[in-house]
Structures are given as C-alpha cells and as structure tokens.
Amino acid sequence: MGKVVVVTGAGDGLGRALARRLAADGDTVVLLGRTLSKVQAIADELGAPHFAVECDVGDPDKVRAAFAKVAERHPKIDVLINNAGVFEPFTLAEASDAQILTALNTNLAGPIFCARAALPLFGGAGHIINVTSESVNVRMPMLWMYAGTKAGVEFVSDMWSRELESAGVRVTVVRAGQMMDETKTGTNWPMEVAVRFAQENAKVGLNLRERPISHYRSVTDAFRAVLDMPADLHVGLVTLSGSRR
C-alpha cells in the first residue's frame, strides 16, 4: 500500500526527483514549495492524486496554513521529507542580514516548523527524513552558514529520535553529497562569488571540479530504501556521496 509523503522544496532538484520517483512507485506525493507555479507544474505532470501546496518553510504561519491544506485531503500522512534549503557561500564580513536570516529560517527553522506541523497528522506512526549535507564534515570555506544550519538539523534530528520514539515517529538524516541531473546548468550566484568560492576551496585542497557528483535518480534509490525499512529497524543517519565509478 502506498504512503502519503510530504516533500518540501519539491519544485526543483532533489525534491522534484523525489516527487517523480515516489509517484512512480505508487506513493501519494504532496509537493510543497515557496513558488507555487514550480510545484504546481510538477503536480500537473504527475497528475492526481498528487497535489501542490504553496509553502515558505521559513515562515511559521505559512507552514501552519500549508499543513492545514494537507490535512483537508489527508488527515493521516506517513512521511515528511524536509528537503527545502538555500545554499549560498559568503564570508562573515560580507554576510548581509537577509542572507543570514534566510539561511537560518529556511535550513534550520524550516524543518522544525514543518515537523511540528506534521506531528498531529502522523497518527501514531510516521517518519521524518531530514536532508543535510556533506559540508557538515567537509568544512568548505565560505559555506559556514549553510553547513552550520545543516549541522543544527542533524543535532535536533538525533534529539527528536528519542523524544518521538514513544509516539511511533522515526527520524532519519540523509546527509547528501553533490547531486545533479541533465537540467542543472550551474548556480545562480554572481560570477565573482562562484569564482572566489572555488578559489578559497582550492586553497584548502578541495578542487570543486574534481569532486564526484551523483545523479538525482541514484539518490532517490537511497531514499526509497530508507522509506521501506521495517518498522522495527531505526536508521538514524545515511551518508551519501558521489562516486567516480
């Protein structure tokens, strides 16, 4: 029997790939995204019973409103995948208020807001999957804000695992490496920022052009395995990275 899965950041990248994969596997996907037109386009592509809901995960009121809409169609959900995130390099000296707050609200507060809103819909059994990043360990220059928020998600996920166990809710972190598909043409960062990011990483021995990249389709295989784990098996952390093979 298929699961009801809520995916945040479902309009692009890994979120879009997950929505397509889960729908093809027979799950019902609720696509959440800040830009309604993007998630609606994927929902239209997938067709009923999949549907899109506008949601800025960094805004608690919008999260509450989004999950109220989810509950209208699905009073019981099985899985929440906290995938939405913002990824932007900058130094402490140049960080703007907007950059700091957007990263904090989207990457760290967002999963918290969404998990809190999803809890009443799990109904005694559910699964929260929080997507983090290899940058937590790799420590890439100029990426401290992104990596810091992802490290925070990993910490709260570990605490939630114990807190929510009695409620029948499992919590898994998927720590992912670089990913891409045929539609990914690069970043939307200013060229100067992208060049400096590459240069600063090269100084510490990280050649961004040589780091292996996995395909989104391959990564969705790992999520499928996590989703299908037996109920008596807890998977706390899955670490994924690209391979040159």
Side-chain angles (χ1 to χ4, degrees):
M1 183 176 179
K3 297 177 172 66
V4 177
V5 184
V6 177
V7 182
T8 71
D12 201 359
L14 177 61
R16 178 176 60 190
L18 284 168
R20 288 169 171 164
R21 169 62 185 270
L22 297 173
D25 288 347
D27 297 314
T28 298
V29 185
V30 183
L31 301 91
L32 268 56
R34 183 169 50 189
T35 304
L36 180 59
S37 60
K38 292 177 69 172
V39 285
Q40 188 61 57
I42 307 303
D44 291 344
E45 171 195 318
L46 300 177
H50 319 290
F51 66 99
V53 178
E54 182 177 3
C55 181
D56 179 349
V57 300
D59 185 322
D61 290 331
K62 291 181 179 178
V63 169
R64 276 188 280 266
F67 277 84
K69 290 182 180 179
V70 174
E72 289 174 1
R73 296 206 198 184
H74 296 288
K76 170 76 169 71
I77 66 172
D78 300 294
V79 182
L80 165 66
I81 301 179
N82 279 314
N83 165 74
V86 293
F87 176 85
E88 184 180 9
F90 45 79
T91 65
L92 176 60
E94 69 193 16
S96 69
D97 293 349
Q99 287 173 315
I100 294 169
L101 292 173
T102 297
L104 279 172
N105 291 341
T106 303
N107 296 349
L108 181 54
I112 297 171
F113 293 148
C114 290
R116 182 181 63 180
L119 279 181
L121 304 183
F122 284 136
H127 198 165
I128 299 170
I129 301 177
N130 291 325
V131 181
T132 67
S133 165
E134 67 177 1
S135 63
V136 170
N137 277 346
V138 176
R139 309 291 176 90
M140 304 173 81
M142 297 181 66
L143 214 57
W144 53 273
M145 190 76 217
Y146 177 74
T149 55
K150 291 299 188 179
V153 170
E154 293 193 1
F155 179 86
V156 299
S157 297
D158 182 62
M159 298 296 290
W160 290 350
S161 290
R162 286 171 276 175
E163 179 181 318
L164 301 177
E165 184 177 10
S166 62
V169 178
R170 294 186 288 178
V171 183
T172 300
V173 167
V174 176
R175 184 189 290 169
Q178 293 187 90
M179 299 169 279
M180 66 169 294
D181 66 10
E182 292 75 16
T183 68
K184 190 169 182 178
T185 57
T187 72
N188 57 0
W189 306 332
M191 180 59 69
E192 182 273 333
V193 172
V195 170
R196 188 153 52 93
F197 180 56
Q199 291 173 338
E200 292 302 315
N201 277 272
K203 290 178 183 178
V204 297
L206 296 173
N207 188 325
L208 301 184
R209 292 187 176 183
E210 293 181 356
R211 291 184 63 77
I213 300 177
S214 56
H215 197 284
Y216 288 128
R217 283 195 301 268
S218 302
V219 176
T220 64
D221 286 345
F223 277 83
R224 181 76 267 169
V226 170
L227 285 169
D228 293 340
M229 287 292 173
D232 62 344
L233 182 63
H234 173 66
V235 180
L237 172 65
V238 176
T239 301
L240 306 176
S241 59
S243 172
R244 290 186 175 87
R245 292 185 59 186

